[in-house]
Amino acid sequence: MKFTVYQESRQGGRGNNEDRTAYSYTRDSLLLVIADGMGGHHHGEIAAQIAAQTLVNGFQREAKPQLPDPFLFLQRAINHGHRAILDYTAQKQLVESPRTTIVACVVQDGIAYWAHAGDSRLFLMRGGRVMAQTRDHSRIRLLLEEGMISEAQAARHPDRNKIYSCLGGATAPEIEYSRKTPLEHGDVLLLATDGLWGVTSGDLMAVALKGANLLQAVPMLMAQAEVKGGPHGDNLSVVAIRWEESPEAGESSISTQTMALHEVATQMEEFGRTPAYKGELSDDEIEKAIEEIRSAIEKYNPRKQGQ
């Protein structure tokens, strides 16, 4: 595989960053993940961390170097993340469970498979156009589809942030899956939270990224979105790749050709390890939260269950 990847999360105008981003790859498979947490007193970011970490842990365990069934992997890992958040809620005896959106994509053999719950989005861009994108699990999207409001009205609607599917809720998440989608040379897969796509449309991003250097163009889009969001703007996060099929990878590209059979490379910040995620927690509180996250996820590691 050959691809260029860019990942970034910004706090925006919020007092804390509840988004989580990650990517992981083997010689023959690639995973991209974004989660947008919801819940007070840092619990939203913990829900997002649990969701992202559960997916990455599962990928690291199962991609040898490919996943036998990408859609089955996504279904199982997302549901495991949901149940791990509920376990965390029970352990902490929280009155209300923290929740998170999720969007995740697997690429192998030049085919993309994605799944989502909530309103974090995936865009497939080709030649400056959006070829496919996820459908938000939100009340606003339902009103739009029924023709009851316009896109302009949706942008200002008081219910624009209300979603009906997520991880950590009282009911199991409604997970929506893509079709098997072959990628072409130069295609861009972009995963984003609503802090980015809510102020910068997919169409505008597709035009901006057409033929552009991903490592330069995406940070510019993020900076513009942060300005548009203003002092009360949401957290904004992105994971984007440009798929490549040329014989030689460019200077900024990743080529997995020389990776060992069971080697896995991962980029995911652990809870509280960066200024963007730390907020006002003390070091002791961070260490305790990390241990609680690991404990909630542990039971969904088949190696520990002897499966």
Side-chain angles (χ1 to χ4, degrees), residues 3-4 43-44 47 53 57 70 87-88 101 131 145 157 161 163 178 197 219 242 258 299:
F3 57 90
T4 302
H43 291 138
Q53 196 166 320
N57 287 2
D87 287 348
Y88 172 83
T101 68
M131 304 303 295
E145 290 177 351
H157 199 283
N161 294 322
I163 61 176
S178 69
W197 66 254
R242 187 183 299 279
T258 59
K299 66 188 292 185

Side-chain angles (χ1 to χ4, degrees), residues 185-306:
H185 178 72
D187 281 358
V188 173
L189 284 168
L190 185 144
L191 286 63
T193 58
D194 58 348
L196 176 57
W197 66 254
V199 296
T200 308
S201 72
D203 291 335
L204 287 174
M205 288 191 285
V207 170
L209 296 178
K210 180 183 179 182
N213 182 324
L214 210 64
L215 307 186
Q216 296 175 350
V218 177
M220 289 179 63
L221 287 173
M222 291 284 282
Q224 291 167 2
E226 195 168 24
V227 171
K228 289 179 183 177
H232 303 292
D234 202 352
N235 307 147
L236 57 162
S237 301
V238 64
V239 179
I241 68 158
R242 187 183 299 279
W243 187 251
E244 301 172 15
E245 293 181 348
S246 58
E248 298 295 332
E251 290 184 5
S252 59
S253 300
I254 293 172
S255 175
T256 65
Q257 187 175 2
T258 59
M259 290 181 71
L261 195 61
H262 293 110
E263 183 180 354
V264 185
T266 298
Q267 179 60 46
M268 178 181 67
E269 302 297 345
E270 191 168 30
F271 180 85
R273 295 306 194 194
T274 67
Y277 299 147
K278 184 173 180 177
E280 299 176 352
L281 293 179
S282 68
D283 290 341
D284 287 344
E285 288 173 321
I286 290 171
E287 291 301 326
K288 184 178 179 181
I290 290 172
E291 184 56 38
E292 290 168 343
I293 289 167
R294 289 174 179 166
S295 176
I297 295 171
E298 188 72 17
K299 66 188 292 185
Y300 300 103
N301 184 339
R303 289 181 301 181
K304 300 299 182 182
Q305 295 175 304

Side-chain angles (χ1 to χ4, degrees), residues 22-42:
Y23 66 87
S24 188
Y25 59 91
T26 65
R27 189 187 67 186
D28 298 327
S29 192
L30 167 67
L31 171 71
L32 312 170
V33 182
I34 271 191
D36 182 351
M38 300 166 281
H41 193 61
H42 301 284

Side-chain angles (χ1 to χ4, degrees), residues 122-191:
L122 176 146
F123 299 90
L124 169 61
M125 303 169 179
R126 179 177 298 158
R129 298 177 57 195
V130 175
M131 304 303 295
Q133 74 175 68
T134 51
R135 183 179 65 93
D136 300 343
H137 297 145
S138 67
R139 296 181 185 180
I140 294 304
R141 178 51 52 189
L142 294 175
L143 293 174
L144 282 167
E145 290 177 351
E146 292 171 1
M148 298 179 66
I149 60 173
S150 66
E151 289 284 357
Q153 290 172 319
R156 302 186 301 272
H157 199 283
D159 290 341
R160 62 186 179 275
N161 294 322
K162 293 183 178 180
I163 61 176
Y164 61 82
S165 178
C166 63
L167 279 60
T171 58
E174 176 182 317
I175 306 170
E176 192 166 341
Y177 302 89
S178 69
R179 298 178 178 180
K180 294 182 180 180
T181 306
L183 298 180
E184 297 182 3
H185 178 72
D187 281 358
V188 173
L189 284 168
L190 185 144
L191 286 63

Side-chain angles (χ1 to χ4, degrees), residues 92-142:
K92 296 287 289 182
Q93 298 182 330
L94 301 179
V95 175
E96 184 178 0
S97 175
R99 301 169 306 284
T100 184
T101 68
I102 193 76
V103 58
C105 180
V106 171
V107 180
Q108 53 186 48
D109 294 325
I111 297 174
Y113 310 73
W114 61 83
H116 79 289
D119 63 354
S120 292
R121 290 185 182 178
L122 176 146
F123 299 90
L124 169 61
M125 303 169 179
R126 179 177 298 158
R129 298 177 57 195
V130 175
M131 304 303 295
Q133 74 175 68
T134 51
R135 183 179 65 93
D136 300 343
H137 297 145
S138 67
R139 296 181 185 180
I140 294 304
R141 178 51 52 189
L142 294 175

Side-chain angles (χ1 to χ4, degrees), residues 70-85:
F71 281 136
L72 180 60
F73 164 78
L74 290 169
Q75 177 191 49
R76 185 169 55 240
I78 290 173
N79 279 303
H80 282 177
H82 168 67
R83 290 193 289 271
I85 294 168

